[in-house]
Each structure stands twice: as structure tokens, then as C-alpha cells.
């Protein structure tokens, strides 16, 4: 009896083991493609920088939304895109997800503002959309928490107007590889145009704030920051950078004697670019090399301005000239301890000559860096410059005039001396940068629309009356 049961038991255990082994093998076979799809989606979400916008700063839950994007028309809050059924995209089918990401229309039919870069994501392939969807559905933790509501002023509060904007400016075409170019270039183009959406910042916008594709990547503005010309042009663009320098900039945000990434570019490097594979970074460089060159008014490359400036007399400015005097004092007190009195920096702090922020044809990035500082963590190591704007500590805080004076001092000693800064420029940057036409026109749009509508009605009335008269029997 014992023997029997023991044999039976071992048979049962054996069978069970075999079954469970077969079971795991089978289950693994089924889940392997799914696991691969999710891993692909994770990489794509990082390359597309979804987290940067969809996570609130300072301890926000990943993808739960609430990040306020400063648009010239007002603050637009990102939404919760965790798989929460209550507050997120838990009820989205893959088709709903594809429509939101590529066409800018949420599941309930509301139109999204293009602060969500769907004009770039429209180029994403179906397979990449599936991978992204699998990642968000299966790996992102659901967060039952509503994000802040976006309330733009009238007339931009009418989301339906985005349907007209989309009709005019959204091309619903997937990425088309260029058969005449290498596979590497095409991979770079897909990364840059569809995933990394470089053009949303680096391409100038037209009156309706749509990208002006004729001068793609020739420079745009992002709030108070200026995203420089990164076309292949040798003088105005990045044509004079070496491949290694471009790769290093994208990977770390720092190239000694050329440029550092601050503001939105620092965020891009921190959250997305530094995590790309080397092959993808090289593809991006190949793509940048092959873009259509667009020349701006620059006479020499931004990075080529300036040299160390150590002569006491030239550093102090001429006696009795107050602005230079004040600029020199602010520089000595607030900047020289890191960037050195002669502007040459050291291993940790960049030189202020041969620096695209001081050699550009506009002072926006210089002023913004002084007001807002710089903060970028790469390979776990933070790179930090303190802010001197109104939010800075009392000891660091500089007035608009001080910022203008120190900017002029830096520009004349180390950078593009033709660029001048006034306190009003500092105030404009502090308040979020240049206002585009649409924002300036906002107060007039409603009255103008009413006037146009009245004129149209009168016109239609006249035409109808004339038509009636003509058909009326004599
Ligand atoms: C530059 C910022 C930005 C990036 C990058 C971004 N989004 Fe968005 N997204 C937004 C904003 C802002 C909204 C809300 C727009 C509105 O309210 O009109 C939004 C809305 C959405 C919605 C609609 C959700 C809803 O509430 O119904 C989805 C889905 C979405 N994003 C997915 C993604 C995915 C996936 C990625 C990465 C591939 C991504 N987003 C990257 C800013 C961004
Ligand atoms: C969210 C906006 C934004 C996005 C997206 C973005 N950039 Fe930038 N980029 C900027 C800003 C702003 C600067 C200026 C930073 C500074 O000087 O501190 C910049 C600077 C640069 C520079 C240095 C140029 C110079 O002369 O200093 C390069 C190169 C560059 N970006 C390439 C790219 C590429 C390639 C992509 C896409 C993979 C990209 N950027 C995506 C905003 C952006
Ligand atoms: C505590 C040290 C420190 C002080 C003080 C400091 N900086 Fe910086 N600065 C940095 C660091 C760090 C960077 C970025 C280095 C990098 O990105 O690799 C930087 C970058 C810059 C850049 C390049 C920004 C860009 O977008 O390309 C400029 C311009 C600049 N600083 C000007 C100034 C001026 C003007 C002052 C004084 C008002 C000042 N800094 C004070 C540390 C400092």
C-alpha cells in the first residue's frame, strides 16, 4: 500500500513537474513577444520623451500628468496617461491611443492642443504605436489622480478650433524613408522627426504657431529660450561641428569650447538623449549632417566668438562709464568665482568665450541662464549653475538692470559685442519670452470675428436680395 501510494505520488509529482515545466515553457513562449514589445515601448517612450511632459516636477508620479507647459497663450497642463481607468487612459483601446498620439484627438473626441507634439508623432509607425501602447498598458503603474485642468483664455478655450488648425497644419502621413539615403540617415530622420521631435523647438513657427517646414530646424523659440539653427549650414548651423562634438553634445549636453545645454535642451538630454543607444545617437548625427542648410544673418559661427579678456583696463571699462563699471562689479561678485575673471572657466565651469550662448545673434540664452540657472543630471552627476532671477536666494538675486549690465559686460568682453541688452529685454525674458502674433492678437480676435461675421451677413443679405430681385417676375 505504502509502496503503491509512494509510486503513485512520485508519478503524480513527476506528471505535475512535467506539466508545470511544459506550462512555463508554453507561457514563456507566449509572453516572450509581449515582453519584447513592452521593452521596445519603454525605449520608444524614453526616446519620445513622454515622461518629461507627463510627469509633474518635484516628486510627481510617473506619467500622472500635471506638468504645466508655459505656452504664450497660457499654461497647458499635461494629462494623466497612466492606465488608471478613472483618471488615465485605462479605457483607451489601441486605436483610441493611436488617435490621441498621432492625430491629437482624445478618446472622448476633445481636441488636444499642440503642446502635445502630435504633429511629430503623426509620423510614428503602426508597430511603434503598438509597442508604446503595450508599454503604457502593462508596465506603467496606474495612478488614480486627476491632473490640473487647462484653462486658456477665450478664444483659445474653444478646443474645436483645433480641428481647423489640424486641417491646415497636421499632415497625417507616416514617416516615409528616403530611398536615396542610407539606412543610418533614415533611422536618424525617424528619430529626429517622429520620436525626439527636435523640430517642435528648433523650427520657426508661422503666425498660427505651426512649424514653418520650409526653413526646418533653422531656429525657434521655446518660451524665454532660443533653440538655435541646427541645420547643416557651416556658419549659422552646426556645419562647423565635428561628428564627435555633436555626438558628445547630444549624449552629455556639454562640449568644451562650443556649447552647453540649458533649459529645455538640458531636459531633453537628461530625460531622453543620454539614454539612447550609441547607434541611435550616431544616426541622429548622420541625419543632422544631411539636413538642408539654412543661412541666417550670422557672419561667423556662434561658437567662434571671443577670447580670454584679462586686461584690467578692458575688464573694468573706461572710468566714469557707469554700465561697464556695474557690469564688471556684478561679474566679479556673481560669476567670476566659477567662470574665472578672464572668462576662461576651468574643468568644471565652461569658458564664456567660444560659447554659443554668448556668441549668438540674440541674447536670450545668456539672459535665461542668468535668470533661471542651469540644472542637468547626466550619468547620475548633476551639473548646476545657480539662478540669479527673482526666485533666487536673496544674496544671489539680481535686478533687471544688473542682469542687463552683466550681460553687456560678458558680451563685450567674451562674446558677440554687437548684441546689446536692456533691462526691458531682461523683463521680457523673465515674463516668458517674446509673444507670438497669435498671443498679441488674442484680445482682438473676438471683436474682429464679430465684425467679419457682420460684414459677411450683410454681404450674403445683399446677394440674396439681388438674386430675389432678379428672379422676381417683371
Ligand atoms: C512636449 C510635451 C509632451 C510630450 C513630449 C508628450 N505629451 Fe502627451 N500631452 C501633452 C499635453 C500638454 C497634453 C494635454 C493637451 C491638452 O489638454 O490639450 C497631452 C495629452 C496626451 C494624451 C491625451 C490623454 C487624455 O487625457 O485623453 C495622450 C494619450 C498622450 N498625451 C500621450 C503621450 C505619449 C504616449 C507621449 C510620448 C510618445 C506623449 N504624450 C508625449 C504634452 C506632451
Ligand atoms: C524642448 C525643446 C527642444 C528640443 C525637443 C530639442 N532641442 Fe536642441 N536646443 C533647444 C534649446 C533651447 C537649445 C539652446 C540650449 C542652450 O544653449 O543652453 C538647444 C540647443 C541645441 C544644440 C546646440 C546648438 C548650439 O549652437 O548651441 C544642438 C546641436 C541641438 N539643440 C540639437 C537638438 C536635436 C538633434 C534635437 C532632437 C534630437 C533637439 N535639439 C531637440 C531646445 C530643444
Ligand atoms: C557656481 C558656479 C557658477 C556661477 C556662480 C555662475 N555660473 Fe555660469 N555656468 C556654471 C555651470 C556649471 C554651467 C554649465 C556647465 C555645463 O553645462 O557643462 C554654466 C553655464 C553658463 C553659460 C552657458 C549657458 C548655455 O546655455 O550655454 C553662461 C552663458 C553662463 N554660465 C554665464 C554665467 C554668468 C553671466 C554668471 C554670473 C551672473 C554665471 N554664469 C555664474 C556655473 C556657474
Amino acid at each position: 500500500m505504502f509502496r503503491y501510494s509512494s509510486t503513485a505520488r512520485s508519478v503524480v509529482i513527476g506528471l505535475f513537474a512535467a506539466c508545470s515545466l511544459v506550462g512555463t515553457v508554453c507561457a514563456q513562449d507566449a509572453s516572450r513577444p509581449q515582453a519584447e514589445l513592452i521593452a521596445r515601448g519603454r525605449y520608444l517612450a524614453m526616446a519620445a520623451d513622454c515622461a518629461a511632459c507627463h510627469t509633474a516636477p518635484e516628486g510627481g508620479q510617473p506619467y500622472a500628468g500635471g506638468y504645466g507647459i508655459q505656452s504664450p497663450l497660457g499654461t497647458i497642463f499635461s494629462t494623466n496617461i497612466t492606465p488608471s481607468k478613472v483618471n488615465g487612459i485605462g479605457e483607451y483601446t489601441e486605436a483610441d491611443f493611436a488617435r490621441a498620439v498621432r492625430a491629437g484627438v482624445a478618446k472622448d473626441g476633445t481636441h488636444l492642443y499642440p503642446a502635445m507634439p502630435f504633429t511629430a508623432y503623426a509620423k510614428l509607425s503602426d508597430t511603434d504605436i503598438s509597442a508604446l501602447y503595450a508599454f503604457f498598458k502593462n508596465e506603467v503603474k496606474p495612478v488614480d489622480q486627476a491632473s490640473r485642468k487647462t484653462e486658456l483664455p477665450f478664444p483659445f478655450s474653444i478646443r474645436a478650433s483645433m480641428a481647423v488648425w489640424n486641417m491646415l497644419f497636421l499632415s497625417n502621413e507616416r514617416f516615409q524613408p528616403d530611398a536615396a539615403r542610407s539606412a543610418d540617415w533614415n533611422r536618424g530622420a525617424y528619430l529626429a522627426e517622429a520620436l525626439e521631435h527636435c523640430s517642435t523647438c528648433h523650427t520657426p513657427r508661422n503666425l498660427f504657431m505651426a512649424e514653418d517646414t520650409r526653413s526646418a530646424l533653422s531656429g525657434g523659440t521655446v518660451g524665454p529660450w532660443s533653440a538655435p539653427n541646427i541645420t547643416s549650414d557651416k556658419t549659422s548651423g552646426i556645419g562647423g561641428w565635428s561628428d564627435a562634438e555633436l555626438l558628445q553634445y547630444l549624449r552629455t549636453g556639454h562640449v568644451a569650447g562650443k556649447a552647453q545645454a540649458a533649459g529645455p535642451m538640458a531636459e531633453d538630454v537628461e530625460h531622453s538623449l543620454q539614454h539612447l543607444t550609441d547607434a541611435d545617437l550616431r544616426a541622429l548625427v548622420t541625419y543632422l549632417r544631411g539636413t538642408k542648410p539654412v543661412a541666417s544673418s550670422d557672419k561667423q559661427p556662434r561658437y567662434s566668438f571671443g577670447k580670454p579678456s584679462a586686461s584690467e583696463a578692458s575688464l573694468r571699462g573706461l572710468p566714469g562709464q557707469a554700465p561697464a563699471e556695474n557690469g564688471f562689479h556684478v561679474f566679479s561678485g556673481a560669476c567670476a568665482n566659477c567662470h574665472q575673471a578672464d572668462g576662461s572657466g576651468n574643468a568644471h565651469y565652461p569658458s564664456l568665450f567660444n560659447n554659443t550662448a554668448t556668441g549668438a545673434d540674440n541674447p536670450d540664452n545668456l539672459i535665461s541662464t542668468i535668470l533661471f540657472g542651469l540644472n542637468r543630471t547626466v550619468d547620475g552627476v548633476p551639473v548646476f549653475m545657480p539662478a540669479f532671477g527673482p526666485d533666487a536666494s536673496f544674496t544671489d538675486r539680481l535686478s533687471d538692470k544688473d542682469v542687463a549690465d552683466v550681460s553687456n559686460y560678458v558680451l563685450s568682453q567674451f562674446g558677440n559685442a554687437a548684441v546689446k541688452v536692456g533691462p526691458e529685454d531682461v523683463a521680457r525674458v523673465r515674463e516668458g519670452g517674446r509673444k507670438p502674433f497669435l498671443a498679441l492678437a488674442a484680445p482682438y480676435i473676438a471683436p474682429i470675428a464679430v465684425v467679419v461675421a457682420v460684414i459677411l451677413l450683410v454681404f450674403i443679405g445683399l446677394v440674396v436680395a439681388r438674386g430675389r430681385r432678379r428672379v422676381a417676375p417683371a
Side-chain angles (χ1 to χ4, degrees):
M1 184 68 189
F2 176 68
R3 252 187 94 86
Y4 169 78
S5 70
S6 131
T7 319
R9 207 181 327 143
S10 37
V11 166
V12 169
I13 289 171
L15 271 178
F16 182 76
C19 282
S20 62
L21 191 67
V22 170
T24 4
V25 168
C26 294
Q28 245 179 22
D29 266 348
S31 70
R32 192 180 300 135
Q34 180 68 2
E36 272 166 19
L37 195 68
I38 294 172
R40 231 176 104 71
R42 188 187 313 130
Y43 184 78
L44 291 165
M46 185 267 303
D49 221 358
C50 314
C53 288
H54 282 280
T55 307
E58 277 143 42
Q61 302 258 41
Y63 300 108
Y67 180 95
I69 295 164
Q70 309 291 337
S71 100
L73 310 178
T75 305
I76 300 175
F77 291 96
S78 63
T79 51
N80 181 334
I81 55 166
T82 70
S84 156
K85 288 210 190 308
V86 206
N87 304 104
I89 58 168
E91 301 287 357
Y92 272 57
T93 62
E94 187 173 323
D96 296 332
F97 179 78
R99 188 164 78 133
V101 174
R102 294 197 295 208
V105 180
K107 185 182 171 73
D108 64 3
T110 33
H111 279 85
L112 303 176
Y113 295 116
M116 159 75 186
F118 56 84
T119 50
Y121 297 153
K123 296 190 172 171
L124 287 175
S125 67
D126 291 346
T127 42
D128 281 358
I129 285 284
S130 297
L132 278 167
Y133 181 72
F135 165 70
F136 278 100
K137 273 297 230 203
N138 297 293
E139 197 174 281
V140 173
K141 201 170 106 277
V143 179
D144 296 335
Q145 174 192 312
S147 56
R148 259 181 88 172
K149 236 177 115 70
T150 299
E151 276 156 3
L152 293 190
F154 182 81
F156 310 114
S157 50
I158 307 173
R159 282 178 177 266
S161 61
M162 284 308 304
V164 181
W165 193 93
N166 288 351
M167 228 154 62
L168 293 172
F169 302 119
L170 172 67
S171 153
N172 206 17
E173 240 178 62
R174 308 293 162 250
F175 177 76
Q176 297 294 335
D178 181 346
R181 306 264 202 170
S182 68
D184 203 31
W185 187 91
N186 276 304
R187 174 64 184 162
Y190 183 70
L191 276 163
E193 294 173 12
L195 284 164
E196 289 279 353
H197 55 277
C198 316
S199 71
T200 53
C201 297
H202 284 281
T203 295
R205 290 180 183 259
N206 66 19
L207 290 185
F208 299 99
M209 293 175 65
E211 288 171 26
D212 182 356
T213 46
R214 285 164 309 173
S215 38
L217 302 182
S218 68
T221 51
V222 199
W225 298 89
S226 140
N229 182 331
I230 55 164
T231 69
S232 59
D233 191 79
K234 279 219 157 23
T235 310
S236 299
I238 46 81
W241 295 46
S242 71
D243 282 3
E245 286 171 335
L246 278 173
L247 193 99
Q248 190 190 335
Y249 185 89
L250 297 178
R251 183 51 199 95
T252 68
H254 175 97
V255 179
K258 274 224 157 56
Q260 297 80 42
M265 191 65 201
E267 290 180 20
D268 203 8
V269 170
E270 177 171 325
H271 297 295
S272 178
L273 289 166
Q274 69 165 317
H275 305 292
L276 290 186
T277 61
D278 277 349
D280 275 351
L281 283 171
R282 275 197 303 273
L284 271 174
V285 172
T286 307
Y287 167 77
L288 288 176
R289 284 262 170 264
T291 58
K292 188 185 91 182
V294 179
S296 322
S297 60
D298 309 78
K299 302 267 184 306
Q300 66 182 85
R302 296 182 285 282
Y303 56 77
S304 68
F305 280 87
K307 55 180 182 334
S309 177
S311 125
E312 268 292 290
S314 83
L315 281 174
R316 276 183 200 284
L318 297 170
Q321 286 189 355
E325 201 73 54
N326 186 43
F328 167 72
H329 287 305
V330 176
F331 184 80
S332 306
C335 323
N337 50 338
C338 291
H339 294 287
Q340 308 299 310
D342 67 353
S344 59
N346 58 26
H348 301 287
Y349 305 117
S351 66
L352 294 181
F353 48 88
N354 297 142
N355 188 321
T356 56
T358 62
D361 62 1
N362 74 73
D364 292 1
N365 289 345
L366 171 61
I367 303 174
S368 290
T369 308
I370 300 173
L371 287 176
F372 312 123
L374 181 152
N375 206 339
R376 190 181 72 235
T377 297
V378 174
D379 296 330
V381 181
V383 178
F384 175 78
M385 166 170 152
F388 294 92
D391 296 333
S393 75
F394 185 72
T395 46
D396 282 346
R397 207 176 301 158
L398 297 176
S399 68
D400 288 358
K401 182 173 174 306
D402 283 344
V403 175
D405 288 349
V406 75
S407 299
N408 286 326
Y409 178 79
V410 166
L411 288 164
S412 66
Q413 294 298 322
F414 314 117
N416 186 347
V419 175
K420 298 279 181 270
V421 177
E424 66 287 353
D425 297 312
V426 180
R428 165 175 58 73
V429 169
R430 201 166 29 72
E431 282 153 19
R434 290 188 175 81
K435 291 253 185 290
F437 165 78
L438 214 53
L440 295 173
Y444 310 106
I445 288 180
I448 290 175
V450 170
V451 172
V452 170
V454 169
I455 293 175
L456 271 179
L457 281 176
V458 170
F459 182 73
I460 292 170
L462 284 176
V463 170
V464 169
R466 257 206 16 232
R468 274 223 196 94
R469 231 176 285 143
R470 208 171 289 155
V471 294

